[in-house]
């Protein structure tokens, strides 16, 4: 039977893990495949720590932005040539000397972060050539690999708490492809002597991508966001805590371990948006326009899906969350704004 809201997972966090700070990894060469919101945040942090960081992105404009940060960047948009994708991917990967993801680049990297989502009808674009990829990695300097997945692979669990040992039950095609990618990457590195991780992330938010940004922009919710309005529980995680988990995992040896990377409070979206609105109204009176559309609180109610436990993340990786609830995370985002900030480029999120 589902626990009432507010009751935490029955697995307690180890006291030693809570008080200890995860060790910092030595600088190496990080290759980020899919330098989006999370990949860019991680890259900036590592660059500041003296790492060499390479990465792929989806447009020349983004490539320029990443290069200005100090990254070695190249353009790789896996969705642009679906009909002939397999051929072009092999060409891109193995025969274009200047490409970031060619044979030499994969061999040079000591750490590999995969953040490219599966493509409908194709799946994970980097797993299209299993044998070639496995051969390349086996002859490389790779020590660590992490695939960023999603808690959506658990499916509808009736509001129960779930941990990494819970049976997955993906329903939609995109989630099935996500789970297939998890298994695919574990298969690729099955015989390789390296640490490998699957991180199942909750809804990602952070500076420029949060409920307070949506409120400040008076932005209407997308159809996909509206479809989640009546959920009673939503797993979420601040991007800074994703970085914490990544850094912590670099300092340990792992035998293909899976971790839920979520905060402590799977609160409903309506509650989060109500809190975000109160924050913005209090700090910036008059900023909010009447046209802003927030999640409905008294429309239809659907069964809660799941509450995702982060006990393993805390116990085994020693991660102490910077933002254990959405309240801390949203407050930190709002505190980072200046009075003169322009909200025109801010995005929307959980």
């Amino acid at each position: 039977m589902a626990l009432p809201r507010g009751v935490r997972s029955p697995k307690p966090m180890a006291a030693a893990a809570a008080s200890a700070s995860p060790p910092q990894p030595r600088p190496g060469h990080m290759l980020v495949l899919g330098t989006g919101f999370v990949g860019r945040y991680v890259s900036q942090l590592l660059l500041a720590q003296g790492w060499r960081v390479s990465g792929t992105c989806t447009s020349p404009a983004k490539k320029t932005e990443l290069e200005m940060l100090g990254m070695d960047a190249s353009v790789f948009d896996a969705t642009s040539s679906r009909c002939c994708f397999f051929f072009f991917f092999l060409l891109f990967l193995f025969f274009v000397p200047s490409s970031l993801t060619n044979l030499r680049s994969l061999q040079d990297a000591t750490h590999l972060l995969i953040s490219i989502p599966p493509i409908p009808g194709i799946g994970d674009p980097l797993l299209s050539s299993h044998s070639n990829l496995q051969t390349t990695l086996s002859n490389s300097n790779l020590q660590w690999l992490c695939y960023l997945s999603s808690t959506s692979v658990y499916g509808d669990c009736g509001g129960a708490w779930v941990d990494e040992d819970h049976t997955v039950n993906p329903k939609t095609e995109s989630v099935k492809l996500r789970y297939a990618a998890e298994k695919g990457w574990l298969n690729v590195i099955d015989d390789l002597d390296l640490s490998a991780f699957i991180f199942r992330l909750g809804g990602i938010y952070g500076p420029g991508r949060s409920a307070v940004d949506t409120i400040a922009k008076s932005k209407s919710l997308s159809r996909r966001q509206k479809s989640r309005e009546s959920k009673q529980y939503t797993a979420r995680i601040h991007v800074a805590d994703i970085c914490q988990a990544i850094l912590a995992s670099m300092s340990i040896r792992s035998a293909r371990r899976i971790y839920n990377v979520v905060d402590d409070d799977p609160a409903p979206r309506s509650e989060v948006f109500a809190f975000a609105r109160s924050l913005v109204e209090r700090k910036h009176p008059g900023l909010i326009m009447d046209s802003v559309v927030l999640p409905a609180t008294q429309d239809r109610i659907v069964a809660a899906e799941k509450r995702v436990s982060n006990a393993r993340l805390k116990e085994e990786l020693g991660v102490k969350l910077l933002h254990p609830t959405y309240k801390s995370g949203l407050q930190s985002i709002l505190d980072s704004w200046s009075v003169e900030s322009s909200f025109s480029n801010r995005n929307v999120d959980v």
Side-chain angles (χ1 to χ4, degrees), residues 11 23 41-42 46 59 79 92 105 109-110 147 152 154 180 184 190 208 210 234 237 243 254 258 260 292 294 299 343:
K11 289 188 176 181
Y41 200 101
V42 173
L46 293 178
S59 72
T79 65
F92 181 89
S105 297
T110 57
Y147 176 74
S152 60
Y154 295 114
D190 187 50
S210 72
T234 299
I237 186 70
C243 287
S254 167
I258 297 174
N260 294 328
V292 64
L294 301 180
D299 290 344
F343 303 110

Side-chain angles (χ1 to χ4, degrees), residues 21-43:
S21 297
Q24 296 298 306
R26 293 181 179 179
H29 177 195
M30 170 66 80
L31 175 58
V32 182
L33 299 178
T35 317
F37 186 69
V38 174
R40 178 166 176 160
Y41 200 101
V42 173
S43 297

Side-chain angles (χ1 to χ4, degrees), residues 19-271:
S19 59
S21 297
Q24 296 298 306
R26 293 181 179 179
H29 177 195
M30 170 66 80
L31 175 58
V32 182
L33 299 178
T35 317
F37 186 69
V38 174
R40 178 166 176 160
Y41 200 101
V42 173
S43 297
Q44 288 181 278
L45 182 62
L46 293 178
L47 286 167
Q49 295 180 359
W51 284 65
R52 176 188 172 192
V53 183
S54 305
T56 66
C57 56
T58 57
S59 72
K62 292 180 180 179
K63 176 179 183 293
T64 300
E65 291 179 5
L66 297 179
E67 290 174 339
M68 291 178 66
L69 296 176
M71 293 180 61
D72 298 321
S74 67
V75 177
F76 175 46
D77 185 358
T79 65
S80 61
S81 304
R82 293 185 183 180
C83 293
C84 301
F85 176 78
F86 182 69
F87 169 78
F88 284 116
F89 174 68
L90 290 179
L91 179 67
F92 181 89
L93 184 60
F94 294 107
F95 298 107
V96 182
S98 63
S99 294
L100 177 64
T101 51
N102 63 12
L103 181 62
R104 186 179 63 183
S105 297
L106 282 174
Q107 288 177 328
D108 286 345
T110 57
H111 294 69
L112 178 61
L113 180 66
I114 304 112
S115 186
I116 297 178
I119 302 172
I122 296 176
D124 190 302
L126 299 173
L127 295 174
S128 298
S129 178
H130 178 290
S131 60
N132 288 333
L133 183 59
Q134 190 172 51
T135 300
T136 300
L137 296 180
S138 66
N139 295 315
S140 72
N141 296 321
L142 202 63
Q143 304 167 12
W144 175 95
L145 178 149
C146 181
Y147 176 74
L148 299 184
S149 186
S150 169
T151 57
S152 60
V153 298
Y154 295 114
D156 186 356
C157 302
W161 282 100
V162 300
D163 61 17
E164 294 84 351
D165 295 324
H166 194 281
T167 302
V168 299
N169 186 27
K171 292 297 186 182
T172 67
E173 182 62 23
S174 62
V175 179
K176 290 178 181 178
L177 291 176
R178 178 75 74 175
Y179 182 54
E182 286 188 9
K183 295 187 294 182
W185 278 106
L186 292 179
N187 288 337
V188 164
I189 51 94
D190 187 50
D191 296 323
L192 304 183
D193 182 23
L194 54 83
S195 291
F197 300 84
I198 302 294
F199 281 178
R200 290 174 177 166
L201 309 181
I204 304 163
Y205 75 103
R209 176 174 167 168
S210 72
V212 291
D213 294 289
T214 303
I215 298 294
K217 285 187 63 176
S218 299
K219 182 87 171 184
S220 296
L221 300 180
S222 67
R223 178 178 298 179
R224 181 170 177 267
Q225 290 169 324
K226 288 181 179 179
S227 70
R228 304 197 301 262
E229 287 179 7
S230 52
K231 287 181 61 177
Q232 294 181 18
Y233 305 106
T234 299
R236 58 179 56 80
I237 186 70
H238 192 286
V239 65
D241 284 319
I242 299 175
C243 287
Q244 276 210 103
I246 289 173
L247 289 176
S249 71
M250 290 178 182
S251 301
I252 68 171
R253 292 291 295 176
S254 167
R256 288 79 178 127
R257 203 69 166 138
I258 297 174
Y259 291 91
N260 294 328
V261 183
V262 299
D263 68 16
D264 297 338
D265 188 6
R269 286 171 58 81
S270 58
E271 178 182 311

